[in-house]
Amino acid sequence: GPSPSRQKLEEEIVTWPGPLAFGVGAALAELDGLVGSFSQEGWLSAPESAFLLPHGSSLFKTLESVKLENSPKTFKLKVAISSDRAEVEIVKEILSCLPSEATLRIDANGGWNRKQARDWGERVLYEPRIQWIEQPLRADDFDGLWDLVQKFPIALDESLLIDRSLIKTWPGWQVRRPLLEGDPRLLLQQLQDGLARVMISTAFETGIGRRWVNHLAALQLKGPTPTAPGLAPGWCPEGSLFSSDPIAVWNAA
């Protein structure tokens, strides 16, 4: 019906698709003063995001610019695009250019087989500036992923959306995309309680959703394992429909 009760919403929200459950849960959280203008701390601002390095010829121009004093401290490189040999050389080049205090994340997007992942993992063991390898195997290769995480740092991304039980059991890092997961109140409470080894990431949301991502990322930075979020800064289109102010969005629509 047009006016479901609060009890009905709370009972059914766990059965809805993630983005719908997020929207309703986010609205309830704000109405209850858990976040936003009705809460004590308001909306927290986004911390500095990890910087996604480009592929191709622009990579080395970018590396020259990161030597500047105010450059980001966390970088990410997507691999499993060309040959392992070529990408190993690229990683070596990147590490030779990055500041000593910088860290690098390697994201295979599920593009390796188990042997490739083990070979790359051996290199990670001897390079402390590599923070983790993200989603090295197919999202549904759970046996392979559990084997790898016993040997070197692994961060799960897409696997968490396929098997939600991994959110409770995975011992390594987790790339959490709040707008795809569902009701955000659980993650909000967990971060307030000091949840460890999570990295908050964008799902390319609008401005209203981005308020939540920024807020959760800021909470994570206050926790026991602070790390730079993955926010893809600068991607969001301009205009009132993408504003973080709901009234501006409403008027524009």
Side-chain angles (χ1 to χ4, degrees), residues 75-118:
F75 298 83
K76 177 176 177 177
L77 179 72
K78 289 184 177 290
V79 294
I81 297 171
S82 56
S83 71
D84 282 356
R85 179 177 297 180
E87 290 180 336
V88 166
E89 293 304 313
I90 289 174
V91 169
K92 289 180 180 179
E93 184 72 20
I94 291 171
L95 291 171
S96 71
C97 295
L98 292 186
S100 59
E101 70 275 13
T103 56
L104 177 66
R105 300 168 181 171
I106 297 176
D107 185 3
N109 277 124
W112 291 334
N113 59 42
R114 293 186 185 185
K115 182 181 184 307
Q116 287 175 298
R118 286 193 297 270

Coordinates of all heavy atoms in Angstrom, one line a residue, residues 75-118:
F75 N 47.7 4.5 -3.4 CA 47.5 4.4 -4.8 C 46.9 3.0 -5.2 O 47.1 2.0 -4.4 CB 48.8 4.6 -5.6 CG 49.4 5.9 -5.4 CD1 50.2 6.2 -4.3 CD2 49.1 7.0 -6.3 CE1 50.7 7.5 -4.1 CE2 49.7 8.2 -6.1 CZ 50.4 8.5 -5.0
K76 N 46.3 2.9 -6.3 CA 45.7 1.6 -6.7 C 46.0 1.4 -8.2 O 45.9 2.4 -9.0 CB 44.1 1.7 -6.5 CG 43.4 0.4 -7.0 CD 41.9 0.5 -6.6 CE 41.2 -0.7 -7.2 NZ 39.7 -0.7 -6.8
L77 N 46.3 0.2 -8.5 CA 46.6 -0.2 -9.9 C 45.7 -1.4 -10.3 O 45.7 -2.4 -9.6 CB 48.0 -0.5 -10.1 CG 48.4 -0.9 -11.6 CD1 48.4 0.3 -12.5 CD2 49.8 -1.6 -11.6
K78 N 45.0 -1.3 -11.4 CA 44.2 -2.4 -11.9 C 45.1 -3.2 -12.8 O 45.8 -2.7 -13.7 CB 43.0 -2.0 -12.6 CG 41.9 -1.4 -11.7 CD 40.6 -1.1 -12.5 CE 39.5 -0.6 -11.6 NZ 39.0 -1.7 -10.7
V79 N 45.1 -4.6 -12.6 CA 46.0 -5.4 -13.4 C 45.1 -6.5 -14.0 O 43.9 -6.4 -14.1 CB 47.1 -6.1 -12.5 CG1 48.1 -5.0 -12.0 CG2 46.5 -6.8 -11.3
A80 N 45.8 -7.6 -14.5 CA 45.1 -8.7 -15.3 C 44.5 -8.1 -16.6 O 43.5 -8.5 -17.1 CB 44.1 -9.3 -14.5
I81 N 45.2 -7.1 -17.1 CA 44.8 -6.4 -18.4 C 45.8 -6.8 -19.5 O 45.3 -7.1 -20.6 CB 44.8 -4.9 -18.2 CG1 43.7 -4.5 -17.1 CG2 44.5 -4.2 -19.5 CD1 43.8 -3.1 -16.7
S82 N 47.0 -6.9 -19.2 CA 48.0 -7.3 -20.2 C 48.8 -8.5 -19.6 O 48.4 -9.1 -18.6 CB 49.0 -6.2 -20.5 OG 49.6 -5.6 -19.4
S83 N 50.0 -8.8 -20.1 CA 50.7 -10.0 -19.6 C 51.2 -9.8 -18.2 O 51.5 -8.6 -17.8 CB 51.9 -10.3 -20.6 OG 52.9 -9.3 -20.4
D84 N 51.4 -10.9 -17.5 CA 52.0 -10.8 -16.1 C 53.3 -10.1 -16.2 O 53.7 -9.3 -15.3 CB 52.1 -12.2 -15.5 CG 50.7 -12.7 -15.0 OD1 49.7 -11.9 -15.1 OD2 50.7 -13.8 -14.5
R85 N 54.2 -10.5 -17.1 CA 55.5 -10.0 -17.2 C 55.5 -8.5 -17.3 O 56.3 -7.8 -16.6 CB 56.3 -10.6 -18.3 CG 57.7 -10.1 -18.5 CD 58.4 -10.8 -19.6 NE 58.6 -12.3 -19.3 CZ 59.2 -13.1 -20.1 NH1 59.7 -12.7 -21.3 NH2 59.2 -14.4 -19.8
A86 N 54.7 -8.0 -18.2 CA 54.6 -6.5 -18.4 C 54.1 -5.8 -17.2 O 54.6 -4.8 -16.8 CB 53.7 -6.2 -19.6
E87 N 53.1 -6.4 -16.5 CA 52.5 -5.7 -15.4 C 53.5 -5.8 -14.2 O 53.5 -4.9 -13.3 CB 51.2 -6.4 -15.1 CG 50.1 -6.0 -16.1 CD 48.8 -6.6 -15.9 OE1 48.6 -7.6 -15.2 OE2 47.8 -6.0 -16.4
V88 N 54.2 -6.9 -14.0 CA 55.2 -6.9 -13.0 C 56.2 -5.8 -13.1 O 56.6 -5.1 -12.2 CB 55.9 -8.3 -12.9 CG1 57.2 -8.2 -12.1 CG2 55.0 -9.4 -12.4
E89 N 56.7 -5.5 -14.3 CA 57.6 -4.4 -14.6 C 57.0 -3.1 -14.3 O 57.6 -2.2 -13.8 CB 58.1 -4.5 -16.0 CG 58.9 -5.7 -16.4 CD 60.2 -5.8 -15.4 OE1 60.8 -4.7 -15.2 OE2 60.4 -6.9 -14.9
I90 N 55.7 -2.9 -14.6 CA 55.0 -1.7 -14.3 C 54.9 -1.5 -12.8 O 55.2 -0.4 -12.3 CB 53.5 -1.7 -14.9 CG1 53.6 -1.6 -16.4 CG2 52.7 -0.6 -14.3 CD1 52.3 -1.8 -17.1
V91 N 54.6 -2.5 -12.0 CA 54.6 -2.4 -10.6 C 55.9 -2.0 -10.0 O 56.0 -1.2 -9.1 CB 54.1 -3.7 -10.0 CG1 54.3 -3.7 -8.4 CG2 52.6 -3.9 -10.3
K92 N 57.0 -2.6 -10.6 CA 58.3 -2.2 -10.1 C 58.6 -0.8 -10.4 O 59.2 0.0 -9.5 CB 59.4 -3.1 -10.8 CG 59.4 -4.6 -10.4 CD 60.5 -5.3 -11.2 CE 60.5 -6.8 -10.8 NZ 61.5 -7.5 -11.5
E93 N 58.2 -0.3 -11.6 CA 58.4 1.1 -11.9 C 57.6 2.0 -11.0 O 58.1 3.1 -10.5 CB 58.0 1.3 -13.4 CG 58.3 2.7 -13.9 CD 59.7 3.0 -14.1 OE1 60.5 2.1 -14.2 OE2 60.1 4.2 -14.1
I94 N 56.4 1.6 -10.7 CA 55.6 2.4 -9.8 C 56.2 2.6 -8.4 O 56.3 3.6 -7.9 CB 54.2 1.8 -9.7 CG1 53.4 2.0 -11.0 CG2 53.4 2.5 -8.6 CD1 52.1 1.3 -11.1
L95 N 56.7 1.4 -7.9 CA 57.3 1.4 -6.6 C 58.5 2.2 -6.5 O 58.9 2.8 -5.5 CB 57.5 0.0 -6.1 CG 56.3 -0.9 -5.8 CD1 56.6 -2.3 -5.6 CD2 55.5 -0.3 -4.6
S96 N 59.3 2.3 -7.6 CA 60.5 3.1 -7.6 C 60.2 4.6 -7.6 O 61.1 5.4 -7.3 CB 61.3 2.7 -8.9 OG 60.7 3.2 -10.1
C97 N 59.0 4.9 -8.0 CA 58.6 6.4 -8.1 C 57.9 6.9 -6.9 O 57.9 8.1 -6.6 CB 57.8 6.6 -9.4 SG 58.7 6.4 -10.9
L98 N 57.2 6.0 -6.2 CA 56.3 6.4 -5.1 C 57.2 6.8 -3.9 O 58.2 6.3 -3.7 CB 55.4 5.3 -4.7 CG 54.3 4.9 -5.7 CD1 53.4 3.8 -5.0 CD2 53.5 6.1 -6.2
P99 N 56.6 7.8 -3.1 CA 57.3 8.2 -1.9 C 57.4 6.9 -1.0 O 56.6 6.0 -1.0 CB 56.4 9.2 -1.3 CG 55.6 9.7 -2.5 CD 55.4 8.6 -3.4
S100 N 58.4 7.0 -0.1 CA 58.6 5.8 0.8 C 57.5 5.5 1.7 O 57.2 4.4 2.1 CB 59.9 6.1 1.6 OG 59.7 7.2 2.4
E101 N 56.7 6.6 2.1 CA 55.6 6.4 3.0 C 54.3 6.0 2.3 O 53.2 5.7 2.9 CB 55.3 7.6 3.8 CG 54.8 8.8 3.0 CD 55.8 9.6 2.3 OE1 57.0 9.2 2.3 OE2 55.5 10.7 1.9
A102 N 54.3 5.9 0.9 CA 53.1 5.6 0.2 C 52.8 4.1 0.1 O 53.7 3.3 0.4 CB 53.2 6.1 -1.3
T103 N 51.6 3.7 -0.1 CA 51.2 2.3 -0.3 C 50.5 2.1 -1.6 O 49.9 3.1 -2.2 CB 50.2 1.9 0.9 OG1 49.1 2.7 0.9 CG2 50.9 1.9 2.2
L104 N 50.5 0.9 -2.1 CA 50.0 0.5 -3.4 C 49.0 -0.7 -3.2 O 49.4 -1.7 -2.6 CB 51.1 0.2 -4.4 CG 50.6 -0.3 -5.7 CD1 49.9 0.8 -6.5 CD2 51.8 -0.8 -6.5
R105 N 47.8 -0.5 -3.8 CA 46.9 -1.6 -3.9 C 46.8 -2.2 -5.3 O 46.8 -1.4 -6.2 CB 45.5 -1.2 -3.5 CG 45.4 -0.6 -2.1 CD 44.1 0.1 -1.8 NE 44.1 0.7 -0.4 CZ 43.2 1.5 0.0 NH1 42.2 1.9 -0.8 NH2 43.2 1.9 1.3
I106 N 46.8 -3.5 -5.4 CA 46.8 -4.1 -6.7 C 45.4 -4.8 -6.9 O 45.0 -5.6 -6.0 CB 47.9 -5.2 -6.9 CG1 49.2 -4.4 -6.8 CG2 47.7 -5.9 -8.2 CD1 50.4 -5.4 -6.9
D107 N 44.7 -4.4 -7.9 CA 43.3 -5.0 -8.1 C 43.3 -5.8 -9.4 O 43.4 -5.3 -10.5 CB 42.3 -3.8 -8.2 CG 40.9 -4.3 -8.3 OD1 40.6 -5.5 -8.2 OD2 40.0 -3.4 -8.4
A108 N 43.1 -7.1 -9.2 CA 43.0 -8.0 -10.4 C 41.6 -8.2 -10.9 O 41.5 -8.8 -11.9 CB 43.6 -9.4 -10.0
N109 N 40.6 -7.7 -10.2 CA 39.2 -7.8 -10.7 C 38.8 -9.2 -11.1 O 38.1 -9.4 -12.0 CB 39.0 -6.8 -11.9 CG 38.7 -5.4 -11.4 OD1 39.3 -4.5 -11.8 ND2 37.7 -5.2 -10.6
G110 N 39.3 -10.2 -10.3 CA 39.0 -11.6 -10.6 C 39.6 -12.1 -11.8 O 39.2 -13.2 -12.3
G111 N 40.7 -11.5 -12.3 CA 41.2 -11.9 -13.6 C 42.3 -12.9 -13.7 O 42.8 -13.2 -14.7
W112 N 42.7 -13.4 -12.5 CA 43.8 -14.4 -12.4 C 43.3 -15.8 -12.2 O 42.3 -16.0 -11.6 CB 44.8 -14.0 -11.3 CG 45.6 -12.8 -11.5 CD1 46.0 -12.2 -12.7 CD2 46.2 -12.0 -10.5 NE1 46.7 -11.1 -12.5 CE2 46.9 -10.9 -11.2 CE3 46.2 -12.0 -9.1 CZ2 47.6 -9.9 -10.5 CZ3 46.9 -11.0 -8.4 CH2 47.6 -10.0 -9.1
N113 N 44.1 -16.8 -12.6 CA 43.9 -18.1 -12.1 C 44.7 -18.3 -10.8 O 45.4 -17.4 -10.4 CB 44.3 -19.2 -13.2 CG 45.8 -19.1 -13.6 OD1 46.7 -18.9 -12.8 ND2 46.0 -19.2 -14.9
R114 N 44.6 -19.5 -10.2 CA 45.2 -19.7 -8.9 C 46.7 -19.6 -8.9 O 47.4 -19.0 -8.0 CB 44.8 -21.0 -8.3 CG 43.3 -21.0 -8.0 CD 42.9 -22.3 -7.2 NE 41.5 -22.4 -7.0 CZ 40.9 -23.4 -6.3 NH1 41.7 -24.4 -5.8 NH2 39.6 -23.4 -6.2
K115 N 47.3 -20.1 -10.0 CA 48.8 -20.1 -10.1 C 49.3 -18.6 -10.3 O 50.3 -18.2 -9.6 CB 49.3 -20.9 -11.3 CG 50.8 -20.9 -11.4 CD 51.3 -21.7 -12.6 CE 52.8 -21.8 -12.6 NZ 53.5 -20.5 -12.6
Q116 N 48.6 -17.9 -11.1 CA 49.0 -16.4 -11.2 C 48.9 -15.7 -9.9 O 49.8 -14.9 -9.5 CB 48.1 -15.8 -12.3 CG 48.4 -16.1 -13.7 CD 47.3 -15.5 -14.6 OE1 46.1 -15.8 -14.5 NE2 47.8 -14.6 -15.5
A117 N 47.8 -16.0 -9.2 CA 47.6 -15.3 -7.9 C 48.7 -15.7 -6.9 O 49.2 -14.8 -6.2 CB 46.2 -15.6 -7.4
R118 N 49.1 -16.9 -6.9 CA 50.2 -17.4 -6.0 C 51.5 -16.7 -6.3 O 52.3 -16.3 -5.5 CB 50.3 -18.9 -6.0 CG 49.2 -19.6 -5.2 CD 49.5 -21.1 -5.0 NE 49.7 -21.8 -6.2 CZ 48.7 -22.4 -6.8 NH1 47.4 -22.4 -6.3 NH2 48.9 -23.1 -8.0

